[in-house]
Amino acid sequence: MSGAEAAAPPRRRPRDRRQSIEAAAAAAFAERGYHRVAMQDVADAVGITAAALYRHFANKYDLFSSVAMGLVQGLHEAADEVPTPAERTPDDARREVDALLEAWTVATLGMRTTGGIYRWESRYLHDDDRRALRDEFAALRTRLGGPVGVLRPELDAETLDLVCRAALSAIASVTMHRTAMPGAALRALLEHAAGDALTCAVEPVPAVASRSAEPSAQPRRRRDQLAQAGIALFGEHGYHDVTIEDIAGVVGLTPSGVYRHFAGKAEILRTACERAAAVLDAAAEEALGGDEPLESLRVLERAYIAFAVDDRDLMDVYTADVGALDAEDQRRLRRLQREHVDDWVELLGAVRPDLEPREARTRVHAGLNVVADLAVALRHRPAADAKAWIQPMLEAVLGV
């Protein structure tokens, strides 16, 4: 053995290796989705072997769940930097709210490319982990609800929680789009949008709908029944975890019976996405045909909220599972999604000419994200009441 070889220090794994793995995995899951990422992809991104990766994580699910919990833990750590007064005066509460919104906005901007996994990929968490994740987000809302409750003592606990949910959703919206703005301006806009949600005048949260409510109408045509079943299953479980057998079973067919109506699962998904695009396009066409900008914007608001509340599964599929389509269909549908946002930006710009286009676009994305989150939170309430509750919150986040 040469002297040089004898003196060579032993190789040691970097102390932050686990964090590097989680960062690479978070980026991959956010960009491609849980099912399109392999452990080898993550190992390659970090520059290690798959065997080295498995020393830290037992399997892909173990890695994914660790990433999901790690991201929300980052939000808790940001909140921990904000002191909690022993006794809150209104001035103390106002400063605490401002500090929390700033801390969470900075933290969210730091995970802008990865935080989107919460919106759709969390469907793939096991039940226990999904409940744990919900509990973590509920704890964040409770942290914000403390000082907000001092400033808004008229809100009952349930309404206060929903208002805080809207504020956090406005901040989280930045993970769902890539609109470019200077960092300070983007941070300030998100904080203002969240603050507008917290001060929005709202009625108490509507009561839970009666269990005796009439079930929704079922389509008569077998093809429509299959499409509806597919949409519901994709929305709940994610496209990749649903099989043709699952869809067939819902409508009482054999898998071969499905193939008489659709070439495969992908065609059902494409049909669902095209249906959603058509609904949104029709709403935008009606809104853009008006003469008064604010009323035209409200036509679009009502149509989008109705879509989110009445067709929540379809909305989830349209926004979450487009990436499962082939490249050409993806490009076409994503173009339609961008064009729909453009319609919102045009109308908001007419109502708020003081906003630059990128500011209006960021406000629109925040508003649409809030609608989606509130539609989920109010899913057990009467649809008409849920829609009426959501609209003023949407307008607050838009800055109307």
Side-chain angles (χ1 to χ4, degrees), residues 142-317:
T142 299
R143 176 71 172 88
L144 179 59
V148 174
V150 172
L151 299 173
R152 301 199 61 182
E154 79 281 5
L155 298 180
D156 62 84
E158 196 171 10
T159 305
L160 175 61
D161 180 75
L162 206 60
V163 167
C164 292
R165 182 189 295 265
L168 292 173
S169 178
I171 294 172
S173 67
V174 75
T175 66
M176 307 303 292
H177 65 94
R178 296 294 175 263
T179 302
M181 286 181 65
L186 179 57
R187 193 190 79 190
L189 190 152
L190 292 171
E191 291 174 23
H192 287 153
D196 290 341
L198 293 177
T199 58
C200 178
V202 290
E203 298 294 327
V205 175
V208 175
S210 170
R211 291 179 179 271
S212 61
E214 293 185 8
S216 58
Q218 298 298 312
R220 294 184 178 182
R221 296 177 60 215
R222 185 67 81 182
R223 178 180 172 87
D224 293 337
Q225 292 173 1
L226 289 166
Q228 181 171 294
I231 291 167
L233 290 171
F234 296 155
E236 181 178 0
H237 303 290
Y239 174 80
H240 294 282
D241 278 357
V242 176
T243 66
I244 284 290
E245 289 78 8
D246 295 331
I247 298 170
V250 171
V251 298
L253 286 178
T254 62
S256 61
V258 177
Y259 291 114
R260 287 197 292 271
H261 301 276
F262 292 98
K265 190 172 67 167
E267 187 182 355
I268 298 176
L269 175 60
R270 185 173 64 252
T271 299
C273 291
E274 289 171 347
R275 180 184 301 176
V279 169
L280 296 176
D281 185 62
E285 186 173 354
E286 178 185 358
L288 293 169
D291 297 324
E292 208 287 310
L294 181 56
E295 183 51 41
S296 294
L297 179 62
R298 285 176 172 157
V299 169
L300 197 56
E301 290 171 2
R302 288 190 290 268
Y304 193 84
I305 292 169
F307 180 46
V309 172
D310 296 333
D311 293 300
R312 187 170 61 86
D313 288 332
L314 181 56
M315 170 178 270
D316 287 353
V317 170

Side-chain angles (χ1 to χ4, degrees), residues 348-356:
L348 181 57
V351 175
R352 289 280 311 274
D354 57 303
L355 292 177
E356 295 182 5

Side-chain angles (χ1 to χ4, degrees), residues 34-69:
Y34 176 72
H35 283 279
R36 291 178 179 265
V37 175
M39 291 289 271
Q40 187 63 56
D41 298 330
V42 178
D44 292 343
V46 180
I48 61 176
T49 65
L53 178 58
Y54 282 107
R55 283 199 290 269
H56 295 275
F57 299 95
N59 50 47
K60 186 172 75 168
Y61 180 82
D62 183 31
L63 174 57
F64 177 65
S65 60
S66 180
V67 165
M69 298 306 293

